[in-house]
Amino acid sequence: MSVIKLVDLDLKGKRVFIRADLNVPVKDGKVTSDARITASMATINHCLKEGAKVMVTSHLGRPEEGNWTEENSLKPVADNIANRLGKPVRLIKDWVDGGFDVATGELVVLENCRINKGEKKNAEETAQKYAKLCDVFVMDAFGTAHRAEASTHGVAKYAPVACAGILLTEELEALTKALLSPARPMVAIVGGSKVSTKLTVLESLSEKVDQLVVGGGIANTFLKATGKNVGKSLCEDDLVPTAKTLMDKMAKRNASIPIAVDVVVGKRFDANEPAVLKDAGSVVDDEMIFDIGPRSAQELVDIIMKAGTVVWNGPVGVFEFDQFGAGTEKIARAIAETKAFTLAGGGDTIAAIQKYDIYNKVSYISTAGGAFLEFLEGKKLPAVEILEMRANESLRT
């Protein structure tokens, strides 16, 4: 990965424009989970310490273009950062055409970039206006690196210098380490409700990993492919042949997709639904599978403990309801204890990591969902590609 790194640049007195991922949940004007802000502070603090004039922007929620509303404002984010820095932070509302000054060593937050006309379509005119605001553009939002938008891609084309921030650099290095030269055996745990949304990831990983663990609704499609009844469980019947093909393909190279031998079922998706343990072969028509059973969980624990690399994306059961959370908890505890290099990413996965309090025991936690999956698929991320292009240009000049 050849990109210009922020830490290698002289920033003194420079106007620095950071695209961070500060898309955090907000309730009643307060940030309720600030993990993404925490992750972005390394880049912000570095720029301030180096004496730059610092601007940071992000998207928040799904605002309508050209329509500012209080619920999509970055004000709660600016307040959160101000508390961390111990000084006021200005929030600039109409910033695209400039007309504001930033002092050396000052940080300003530029209002939600997704409100700007031309942002989502990556309009040249919008990107050029962003680029005029800065001497250095810093891409630090790995979570949106898979989208080519004016603040993630277009601005990097036109800014005098375009580089990768500290968080983006760490993300790319951790993912590259896990995927390009992994310590073996390599295990991937992919959970989620649908095979269809993660089919390309499963196909790509099936060629790279020694064991591919499928969880959640995805696992039901694979269970059905082995001839088991899954009752009313979430299952994609049309993808049963695909599941069979993936299992056969991995078996041919002595790799495997472990299939549950016992499951935890209920009749309704409800917090008070009693959990019933069953052999995987004895699910009846009116039941739904909500978790893996203890024997299946133990098999996965043994796999994780022997692994050299573990990539985790998605829980293996409905862990939000405690009675259906044992499988995900067992996996989380094994990931915390294994000697393997562990890499976890995606919103539900981070929620499970927080619930079972293993945050400090995972080698690397990616703040991204979609970009994390696309990287696992081996896709080029547009925002990273443009940084590589700019780095190559600077080498030639």
Side-chain angles (χ1 to χ4, degrees):
M1 179 197 68
S2 51
V3 297
I4 297 166
K5 292 182 183 173
L6 171 71
V7 292
D8 296 336
L9 298 174
D10 174 15
L11 302 174
K12 198 164 175 54
K14 299 266 172 68
R15 296 171 306 148
V16 175
F17 180 104
I18 303 168
R19 171 55 159 105
D21 182 3
L22 307 171
N23 183 28
V24 292
V26 172
K27 194 175 178 195
D28 303 326
K30 292 268 186 299
V31 173
T32 56
S33 168
D34 59 1
R36 283 180 173 160
I37 301 176
T38 303
S40 301
M41 288 308 295
T43 291
I44 290 169
N45 285 326
H46 174 80
C47 295
L48 292 172
K49 196 172 101 248
E50 294 296 307
K53 302 169 177 184
V54 191
M55 300 161 268
V56 64
T57 192
S58 171
H59 70 292
L60 182 79
R62 293 197 167 93
E64 191 188 317
E65 205 170 271
N67 185 19
W68 180 89
T69 62
E70 204 169 312
E71 68 172 316
N72 292 312
S73 172
L74 285 176
K75 183 170 189 320
V77 171
D79 293 344
N80 184 292
I81 295 173
N83 285 339
R84 291 163 186 268
L85 298 176
K87 58 184 180 186
V89 169
R90 282 191 292 152
L91 175 69
I92 296 174
K93 192 171 169 188
D94 300 308
W95 54 270
V96 179
D97 294 309
F100 60 92
D101 288 317
V102 185
T104 300
E106 184 191 10
L107 168 77
V108 298
V109 173
L110 307 179
E111 190 56 281
N112 192 337
C113 57
R114 243 185 228 161
I115 293 165
N116 301 336
K117 292 211 163 114
E119 162 67 22
K120 271 188 82 84
K121 289 199 174 79
N122 198 14
E124 301 272 320
E125 187 190 353
T126 308
Q128 284 169 351
K129 283 181 175 179
Y130 291 174
K132 282 196 184 106
L133 299 173
C134 65
D135 304 305
V136 177
F137 167 67
V138 184
M139 176 58 182
D140 207 34
F142 181 71
T144 59
H146 58 309
R147 296 194 183 108
E149 295 177 350
S151 67
T152 60
H153 182 271
V155 60
K157 273 204 295 208
Y158 301 111
V161 177
C163 69
I166 293 168
L167 176 62
L168 183 71
T169 305
E170 281 178 359
E171 291 263 8
L172 293 172
E173 284 171 356
L175 283 161
T176 304
K177 179 179 171 181
L179 291 169
L180 298 188
S181 50
R184 299 274 174 187
M186 183 184 181
V187 177
I189 302 162
V190 181
S193 52
K194 291 185 171 178
V195 177
S196 49
T197 54
K198 294 193 176 173
L199 186 60
T200 43
V201 180
L202 294 169
E203 284 176 338
S204 171
L205 288 173
S206 71
E207 291 162 13
K208 297 181 180 129
V209 302
D210 300 295
Q211 271 144 332
L212 178 57
V213 175
V214 289
I218 292 173
N220 300 334
T221 305
F222 281 82
L223 200 56
K224 191 158 188 172
T226 64
K228 304 275 195 297
N229 183 16
V230 296
K232 288 194 304 181
S233 308
L234 200 55
C235 176
E236 290 171 286
D237 294 341
D238 55 330
L239 287 171
V240 166
T242 308
K244 277 190 181 134
T245 306
L246 284 173
M247 287 190 281
D248 293 345
K249 186 167 94 175
M250 285 190 71
K252 278 193 184 110
R253 58 175 191 84
N254 294 323
S256 70
I257 298 179
I259 300 298
V261 289
D262 55 348
V263 292
V264 180
V265 302
K267 298 202 173 178
R268 288 176 315 128
F269 183 83
D270 188 274
N272 302 311
E273 180 67 9
V276 180
L277 177 64
K278 290 201 154 191
D279 279 341
S282 48
V283 176
V284 295
D285 290 348
D286 67 342
E287 291 174 330
M288 287 182 259
I289 301 168
F290 290 137
D291 194 12
I292 53 172
R295 282 184 296 145
S296 303
Q298 189 54 50
E299 190 189 337
L300 300 186
V301 168
D302 296 342
I303 288 170
I304 291 165
M305 297 316 280
K306 291 189 195 112
T309 305
V310 181
V311 176
W312 182 23
N313 175 257
V316 295
V318 185
F319 74 99
E320 304 90 314
F321 302 154
D322 286 345
Q323 72 274 35
F324 302 119
T328 300
E329 180 170 9
K330 264 194 136 162
I331 280 179
R333 302 262 172 252
I335 283 171
E337 284 163 28
T338 182
K339 302 274 189 293
F341 175 78
T342 53
L343 174 69
D348 287 344
T349 314
I350 292 174
I353 285 168
Q354 286 172 326
K355 178 166 181 172
Y356 303 121
D357 199 20
I358 61 159
Y359 215 89
N360 300 327
K361 300 199 174 118
V362 182
S363 312
Y364 194 82
I365 296 173
S366 170
T367 52
F372 179 79
L373 287 173
E374 291 201 8
F375 197 102
L376 292 186
E377 281 171 46
K379 281 187 184 168
K380 275 279 188 194
L381 305 176
V384 177
E385 219 171 358
I386 187 78
L387 293 181
E388 290 176 334
M389 242 171 67
R390 290 301 307 271
N392 290 339
E393 279 169 21
S394 71
L395 286 174
R396 287 200 298 270
T397 51

